[in-house]
Amino acid sequence: MPSFHFSARDAGGSLRAGVLEGASAAAVADQLIGGGNTPLTIEAAGAAVAAAPAMVLPWNRGKKVMHDELLMFSRQLHSLLKAGIPITRALTGLQESAGIALAAVVRQTRESLESGIELSTSMARQHGVFSNFYIAMVRVGELTGRLDEVFLRLFHHLAFEKLMRDQVRTALRYPSFVVAVMAVAILVINLFVIPAFQKVFDGFGAELPLMTRILVGFSQFMVVSWPYLLGGGLLSIFACRAWLRTEEGRYVWDRTKLRLPIAGKIARKATLARFARSFALALRTGVPVVQAMAVVASTVENAYIGRAVEKMKEGVERGDSVLRTAAASHIFTPVVLQMIAVGEESGSLDEMLAEVADFYQQDVEYELRTLSAQIEPILIMFLGALVLVLALGVFLPIWDLGRVAIKR
């Protein structure tokens, strides 16, 4: 049996490379996808045969398929397959009506499908477009002959993710605007307002209060050092982004943001809702529990929770129940653990996980509706502190000097 050199990304996003044996490059791709990996390149060992370059995946670089496009693609493909239209004809029709980026992806997928490669493998070749979870679900649909049903469930799954993201953006819009305005106000005051008042203070020649001296000193520092502060800020942003691209950096940040006040509990509940919804969908589609956990661990979009799910998978592989591994992870509430226990005992774990997802979703929606009310007192305190500092530092010395002038 021929050997193939491959490179792939695992469920955690890490790059893997090695050699596998298979009847063809497509068979090796199936092995990788079945193990929860996304193939990047597959080449015949020893020589570059004609079919090998087709498995090198450069064509999606620079393209960006939006979440909404993928959402409608899943819905439309479900409708076409349910109507009995062959998959290649369905993709041809969707290609004609899709946007530029998605049309290119659909065309490449259709061409791979027409050359004899399975749909899941063809989608896996579109690196960065379809998630590991999406590809795994399509693979299960191919094996069970229920592709139309799988695409409908993927549509609902993507719609749920879109709803969560839109709600978070809506809830953070007002606080972000207020914080931005405060930052601009602080810059304007320190770079333009306080230097103007300083000339007035210097003209009196009197000793200034401590708060005023602090404000003047800080303003002078910003006026002189603003190029260095700007450069240091930009350098810090680039360094932070580079650190977050590393596996350890992403893990530390994802763990830290779950512990932030107010926002942390919302992020945790939203992540767990995504996990429960994905896990329930995988089980309903027929994916084994261990493989479902491996796939879902890469879809929660949080390295800390993803690593906890990986530990749950290892526990299940050793023979532990889902309940025991979930309790050992310390990421679920007692109510959720009880629902998982009922699901395992009754053989309806997928239904109970769907209930868990609904429970967390309702909780997140409530938290988001009240997020502005929770953040507003904090913003008011910061605004009050800013006004107080300005009043004490700028207007108090003017008032004192005015009283002295009146007495004279």
Side-chain angles (χ1 to χ4, degrees), residues 248-291:
E248 188 60 27
R250 183 186 173 195
Y251 176 82
V252 172
W253 167 241
D254 286 345
R255 180 183 61 185
T256 302
K257 69 184 181 183
L258 296 179
R259 299 175 180 175
L260 295 175
I262 301 177
K265 60 181 180 180
I266 299 177
R268 176 182 291 269
K269 292 173 181 177
T271 303
L272 292 177
R274 187 180 296 110
F275 158 76
R277 187 81 66 188
S278 303
F279 198 11
L281 175 57
L283 294 177
R284 283 178 175 176
T285 317
V287 180
V289 173
V290 174
Q291 185 178 348

Side-chain angles (χ1 to χ4, degrees), residues 61-133:
R61 293 175 186 172
K63 298 176 182 177
K64 180 67 173 178
V65 177
M66 304 303 293
H67 186 89
D68 289 350
E69 290 182 299
L70 195 57
L71 178 70
M72 295 309 301
F73 168 79
S74 303
R75 178 67 183 186
Q76 292 169 347
L77 197 52
H78 155 73
S79 300
L80 293 171
L81 293 177
K82 187 177 180 181
I85 298 176
I87 183 65
T88 52
R89 280 186 55 196
L91 291 175
T92 301
L94 293 177
Q95 177 186 336
E96 295 175 355
S97 61
I100 297 176
L102 182 59
V105 170
V106 173
R107 177 177 59 81
Q108 295 286 352
T109 302
R110 178 180 54 79
E111 291 176 354
S112 298
L113 192 62
E114 290 174 345
S115 66
I117 299 175
E118 294 177 334
L119 179 62
S120 57
T121 306
S122 302
M123 287 182 168
R125 296 174 64 176
Q126 312 300 313
H127 181 58
V129 178
F130 302 100
S131 66
N132 291 344
F133 181 76

Side-chain angles (χ1 to χ4, degrees), residues 330-354:
H330 303 294
I331 60 175
F332 297 100
T333 62
V335 175
V336 173
L337 292 176
Q338 183 63 34
M339 296 177 72
I340 293 176
V342 172
E344 278 198 304
E345 291 177 2
S346 61
S348 57
L349 184 59
D350 57 336
E351 296 180 6
M352 289 297 103
L353 286 170

Side-chain angles (χ1 to χ4, degrees), residues 43-53:
E43 296 180 352
V49 297

Side-chain angles (χ1 to χ4, degrees), residues 77 93 237 244 263 400:
L77 197 52
I237 291 174
L244 289 177
D400 289 341

Side-chain angles (χ1 to χ4, degrees), residues 163-312:
L163 174 65
M164 300 293 289
R165 291 171 183 169
D166 289 346
Q167 287 180 335
V168 170
R169 291 193 190 99
T170 301
L172 294 181
R173 188 175 299 147
Y174 169 72
S176 300
F177 175 77
V178 174
V179 171
V181 170
M182 289 176 60
V184 172
I186 291 174
L187 287 175
V188 171
I189 288 171
N190 281 282
L191 294 178
F192 301 103
V193 177
I194 293 180
F197 276 102
Q198 183 183 355
K199 297 178 182 178
V200 177
F201 297 151
D202 293 341
F204 284 109
E207 183 179 359
L208 299 175
L210 176 62
M211 182 62 69
T212 305
R213 294 200 301 270
I214 293 175
L215 284 176
V216 170
F218 184 71
S219 174
Q220 290 175 342
F221 170 74
M222 289 195 67
V223 169
V224 174
S225 307
W226 72 264
Y228 306 102
L229 293 175
L230 180 61
L234 293 175
L235 184 62
S236 299
I237 291 174
F238 286 119
C240 184
R241 293 183 64 180
W243 177 68
L244 289 177
R245 291 193 187 100
T246 64
E247 184 176 349
E248 188 60 27
R250 183 186 173 195
Y251 176 82
V252 172
W253 167 241
D254 286 345
R255 180 183 61 185
T256 302
K257 69 184 181 183
L258 296 179
R259 299 175 180 175
L260 295 175
I262 301 177
K265 60 181 180 180
I266 299 177
R268 176 182 291 269
K269 292 173 181 177
T271 303
L272 292 177
R274 187 180 296 110
F275 158 76
R277 187 81 66 188
S278 303
F279 198 11
L281 175 57
L283 294 177
R284 283 178 175 176
T285 317
V287 180
V289 173
V290 174
Q291 185 178 348
M293 284 185 172
V295 174
V296 170
S298 63
T299 68
V300 293
E301 298 181 359
N302 186 288
Y304 177 74
I305 299 293
R307 193 171 296 184
V309 176
E310 284 287 344
K311 292 181 180 178
M312 289 175 59

